[in-house]
């Protein structure tokens, strides 16, 4: 009942960006670190004060909320201040820890397409909905410091996979009881001899 979860670290992504921008100056190289991690809702609220995630669960719109702990909740609650968000109507949540590890937890199914294609089986959070933010701090060899803020849009990074049915193609094991038999004696008759048998059950059993 704890749902499904997945985690990924964004620390290296932010650190690489900061390292490509940094300049330690004449005092020489020191260190670079990333901190102050935070998730933010970047999409604008609608006329009712709600932010639509673009996703559905059981036909219900999933809205985005940020709680007092900085956790993003995807909930079917339609109370703009978030007071109606409960465990029972929370479909998923996103959180980030102090080292930049982002964790996605899913508590209920999302509505996927029914065509059976690969594009239906994976849903992605649209761009412009959520962002991950952090501060890069650099210190030169003399102890002087400087900092800059970095942000990444989480569109395409947050995905929900559907547990679609599957079947593999293999050689059907033909039951020897299913046979086709004709008679030499009858082959000279007008129209020849013929025999028929159904293999539907054999293939159905294999599948």
């Amino acid at each position: 009942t704890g749902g499904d979860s997945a985690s990924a670290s964004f620390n290296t992504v932010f650190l690489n960006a900061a390292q490509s921008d940094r300049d330690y100056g004449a005092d020489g190289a020191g260190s670079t670190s990333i901190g102050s991690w935070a998730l933010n809702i970047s999409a604008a609220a609608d006329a009712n004060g709600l932010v639509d995630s673009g996703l559905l669960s059981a036909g219900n719109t999933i809205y985005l909320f940020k709680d007092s702990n900085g956790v993003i909740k995807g909930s079917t609650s339609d109370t703009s201040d978030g007071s109606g968000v409960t465990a029972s109507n929370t479909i998923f949540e996103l959180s980030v820890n102090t080292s930049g590890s982002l964790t996605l937890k899913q508590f209920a199914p999302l509505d996927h397409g029914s065509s059976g294609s690969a594009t239906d089986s994976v849903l992605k959070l649209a761009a412009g909905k959520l962002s991950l933010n952090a501060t890069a701090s650099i210190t030169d060899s003399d102890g002087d410091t400087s900092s800059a803020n970095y942000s990444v849009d989480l569109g395409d990074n947050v995905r929900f996979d559907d547990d679609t049915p599957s079947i593999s193609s293999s050689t059907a094991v033909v039951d020897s009881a299913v046979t086709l038999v004709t008679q030499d004696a009858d082959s000279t008759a007008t129209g020849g001899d013929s025999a028929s048998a159904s293999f539907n059950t054999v293939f159905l059993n294999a599948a």
Side-chain angles (χ1 to χ4, degrees):
T1 57
D4 193 17
S5 66
S7 297
S9 176
F10 280 77
N11 187 70
T12 300
V13 175
F14 280 71
L15 188 60
N16 288 342
Q19 287 174 338
S20 66
D21 294 340
R22 73 188 177 190
D23 181 0
Y24 287 114
D27 288 332
S31 62
T32 303
S33 62
I34 310 294
S36 301
W37 295 92
L39 286 163
N40 287 312
I41 298 174
S42 46
D46 62 18
N48 297 314
L50 296 165
V51 177
D52 188 345
S53 70
L55 304 169
L56 301 173
S57 179
N60 299 307
T61 299
I62 301 173
Y63 298 103
L64 299 174
F65 302 87
K66 184 176 179 178
D67 70 13
S68 58
N69 295 315
V71 176
I72 301 297
K73 305 275 190 178
S75 170
T76 54
S77 169
D78 58 2
T79 54
S80 60
D81 63 358
S83 61
V85 177
T86 64
S88 62
N89 60 36
T90 296
I91 309 304
F92 64 86
E93 67 177 31
L94 275 167
S95 60
V96 63
N97 66 13
T98 56
S99 62
S101 180
L102 189 68
T103 297
L104 170 66
K105 293 182 179 180
Q106 183 179 350
F107 306 105
L110 277 72
D111 295 350
H112 294 258
S114 58
S115 69
S117 68
T119 54
D120 288 331
S121 65
V122 179
L123 295 176
K124 301 176 183 179
L125 187 70
K129 299 291 185 181
L130 295 175
S131 64
L132 177 62
N133 307 275
T135 300
S137 299
I138 65 170
T139 304
D140 66 16
S141 62
D142 194 34
D144 299 320
T145 63
S146 181
S147 63
N149 296 322
Y150 287 84
S151 178
V152 63
D153 190 312
L154 292 176
D156 194 52
N157 295 98
V158 178
R159 305 182 182 189
F160 302 89
D161 193 13
D162 190 13
D163 187 13
T164 56
S166 64
I167 186 169
S168 60
S169 176
S170 61
T171 303
V173 180
V174 179
D175 192 328
S176 60
V178 182
T179 57
L180 296 168
V181 181
T182 57
Q183 301 291 332
D184 284 350
D186 297 328
S187 63
T188 57
T190 303
D193 194 16
S194 66
S196 299
S198 174
F199 282 78
N200 183 72
T201 301
V202 175
F203 279 75
L204 188 61
N205 290 341

